[in-house]
Amino acid sequence: MPRPHPSSPPEITILRALLANETGFVSGGALAKTLAMSRVAVWQHMEKLREQGFKFEAVRARGYRLTARPTRLNPASIEAFLPPRKPSPGFVCLETVDSTNDEAARQLASGRAVPFVVIAGEQTRGRGRFGRVWHSEANGNLYLSFAFRPQLPPGRMQTFTLWMGVNICELVARFTNTTPGLKWPNDILFDERKAGGMLTEARIDADQIRDLVFGLGLNTNSPAGALPHDIARRAVSLAEHTNTLLDLNKFAAAVIGRALDAYEQFVSGKYRETFADLWNQFDFLKGKPVSLLHGTLPVHGTALGIDDEGSLIVRTDKGKTERFRAGEVTLSKKAPS
Ligand code: BTN
């Protein structure tokens, strides 16, 4: 039976033990011993889990077996699925919030220890790039933000969102057995429909990044047609793409674990080789005809990939090779020259 993490509440320890043995039974005596409490106390903690939608089968002389788990966002499930790490990250799970990025920024400003994750079932003011609205109904999609204090010079952060993006793509690919694409600089796509978006926001102090928030919206379990009509054509959820509902809490935990690992690798600086491999694997634009809105004039050409700084390399239709640090890319209809 897994040993309780020093900071884990008893419910999480109980869940971890039951999840580690989902098809079998875990004895009440073993749970009581691990938690150093009476069997009655174990039972009381299990009652708290029942109130959240967990169901257990209890068989005399065998113990307990988990028979049902909540399908909606559930903090206890996410925590129980999270691989243990030291120090354990802070975790805030809210039913509703204005924006997880804003909540993370507020908690950073009030001095909360990092790293921590804010996840919500719904956002009332979800934001995307360029101040656009990120539709964030309570429909089984994921809205989450990661908060860090990297103390790195801003120049080191240029490839950060791209690195996080390819990591999320790989996790999605493994979890759902699909092939998403990362469209420079922040879109996760299936074919040409958007399944996710990233929004990185930073506060800089004296040439150092003080506060960093990495926000991620992933269309996970929303049904087809759940989004407003004008967006629905251009958006897709993982459930819609795969025709299968995902185990939302298990998936959320996997996303959180992967993003925290990716952040640590990024800060250590030991990520370049893996980044190049992952970029080649998930680059959605490579070799495609693109139009890039840069300032007021659109540039037309063919996307060639990114450079070491994460800038998009485009061979323009006028025959020049140009690099773009920022901008908005659309696929052009015409064939590459
Ligand atoms: C984009 O594609 O323009 C980026 C979208 C980012 C949306 C996520 S949802 C969680 C976090 N909170 C927000 O308000 N935005 C990000």
Side-chain angles (χ1 to χ4, degrees):
M1 176 133 69
R3 285 162 66 104
H5 192 276
S7 63
S8 288
E11 287 86 30
I12 307 299
T13 304
I14 293 171
L15 269 185
R16 282 207 184 109
L18 293 168
L19 286 170
N21 196 1
E22 224 171 337
T23 49
F25 285 82
V26 177
S27 88
L31 285 171
K33 193 167 165 213
T34 310
L35 290 162
M37 58 175 64
S38 70
R39 281 171 181 239
V40 174
V42 169
W43 185 83
Q44 281 163 348
H45 285 294
M46 291 180 77
E47 272 306 292
K48 285 195 195 155
L49 290 167
R50 274 197 188 94
E51 284 160 17
Q52 297 172 38
F54 293 92
K55 289 189 181 145
F56 309 101
E57 182 188 358
V59 173
R60 190 181 272 276
R62 294 186 76 187
Y64 299 103
R65 188 169 73 87
L66 193 58
T67 55
R69 296 191 268 118
T71 50
R72 291 171 51 129
L73 208 61
N74 173 265
S77 300
I78 298 176
E79 280 202 68
F81 276 123
L82 270 179
R85 55 193 312 130
K86 276 190 191 149
S88 62
F91 180 62
V92 183
C93 184
L94 303 163
E95 222 162 278
T96 183
V97 71
D98 50 357
S99 150
T100 54
N101 267 33
D102 291 345
E103 181 59 26
R106 286 190 290 266
Q107 297 209 14
L108 275 168
S110 71
R112 183 172 184 143
V114 288
F116 65 87
V117 185
V118 179
I119 185 163
E122 175 194 55
Q123 298 183 118
T124 52
R125 298 185 67 172
R127 293 182 287 109
R129 283 210 313 157
F130 308 118
R132 289 181 189 140
V133 171
W134 185 261
H135 288 274
S136 311
E137 285 88 29
N139 56 11
N141 289 341
L142 287 181
Y143 316 110
L144 65 169
S145 299
F146 298 82
F148 308 106
R149 291 194 188 93
Q151 293 182 310
L152 291 174
R156 270 284 313 275
M157 301 309 292
Q158 280 161 14
T159 48
F160 177 71
T161 307
L162 301 174
W163 164 249
M164 297 302 275
V166 288
N167 274 276
I168 299 302
C169 280
E170 199 195 37
L171 187 265
V172 168
R174 283 195 189 172
F175 203 94
T176 59
N177 205 13
T178 54
T179 315
L182 185 66
K183 177 169 162 265
W184 183 94
N186 73 322
D187 293 349
I188 296 167
L189 305 184
F190 285 109
D191 306 319
E192 286 178 35
R193 295 170 77 192
K194 188 154 165 170
M198 299 173 286
L199 183 67
T200 303
E201 296 177 309
R203 274 180 76 166
I204 300 166
D205 238 12
D207 286 345
Q208 294 260 302
I209 303 273
R210 194 177 70 179
D211 295 348
L212 181 74
V213 176
F214 170 69
L216 175 65
L218 273 175
N219 301 337
T220 307
N221 275 342
S222 57
L227 285 167
H229 188 64
D230 53 323
I231 302 176
R233 270 184 313 115
R234 293 177 281 122
V236 69
S237 71
L238 298 177
E240 204 184 334
H241 184 71
T242 56
N243 244 332
T244 322
L245 280 178
L246 269 76
D247 185 330
L248 189 66
N249 294 303
K250 194 176 196 177
F251 180 58
V255 169
I256 292 171
R258 180 69 185 240
L260 292 172
D261 286 346
Y263 173 79
E264 276 170 18
Q265 288 155 11
F266 186 85
V267 170
S268 77
K270 293 186 208 125
Y271 72 102
R272 291 256 170 213
E273 223 173 283
T274 316
F275 183 31
D277 289 347
L278 290 177
W279 184 261
N280 283 331
Q281 205 177 327
F282 294 107
D283 182 3
F284 172 78
L285 292 176
K286 192 164 189 173
K288 290 189 177 140
V290 293
S291 297
L292 195 127
L293 203 56
H294 179 66
T296 45
L297 285 180
V299 176
H300 302 287
T302 303
L304 300 182
I306 54 167
D307 66 12
D308 284 352
E309 264 86 58
S311 297
L312 183 71
I313 310 171
V314 176
R315 192 180 63 236
T316 70
D317 290 352
K318 292 184 179 147
K320 277 173 68 183
T321 300
E322 292 196 27
R323 285 151 202 265
F324 298 91
R325 275 212 168 168
E328 170 131 56
V329 185
T330 48
L331 287 185
S332 338
K333 291 286 168 269
K334 75 187 223 13
S337 51

